[in-house]
Amino acid sequence: MIDDPIKPRFEGTTLVIETSGETEFYDSQFLVAALLVYVAKGDGAISSSETEEMLKEVGRHFQLESSQSLELLNRAIADLADNPDLEGLLRQLSTVLTREDKREIALMMLKVAAADGRKDAEEMEKLHIAAEIIDIPPDVMHQAFDDYFSETMA
């Protein structure tokens, strides 16, 4: 949890937040994991199929072992619960994302939202909010939907 940040700064693509008690590091891996968790929790709970999809997507995207993916997702879940300004943190981290990064993240969020086979309005709303948080342009979101339907219809 972040308490009384002293001076957030970027070191390369890592956001460093110093507090009175510790220094925390957040990178694009954390950003993606937090966004996926945020979307998955949109309907109030994370299903086992959503968990599987998040593990698969994070592992594939960042080329991580499943244990590393699980650790990253657990950290994101804990920070979502403990950090009242996680949205601000995610906005700051999103400044290092390219248009293509945003398209890939949008596609991952779509896959997680659809993983449990339900089309909950709450999850779609969280998906929309997550896209706004990291400033995914509408045309990029549209491309991600096209990519998703191309993959799932094949």
Side-chain angles (χ1 to χ4, degrees), residues 55-74:
L55 287 168
K56 182 176 95 175
E57 289 300 319
V58 167
R60 179 195 55 77
H61 187 74
F62 296 112
Q63 299 165 350
L64 299 174
E65 298 293 324
S66 58
S67 62
Q68 293 170 305
S69 297
L70 182 59
E71 184 178 322
L72 181 60
L73 289 166
N74 282 335

Side-chain angles (χ1 to χ4, degrees), residues 23-37:
T23 301
E24 296 193 31
F25 302 90
Y26 297 90
D27 59 11
S28 59
Q29 290 182 352
F30 174 81
L31 168 69
V32 169
L35 288 168
L36 295 180
V37 168

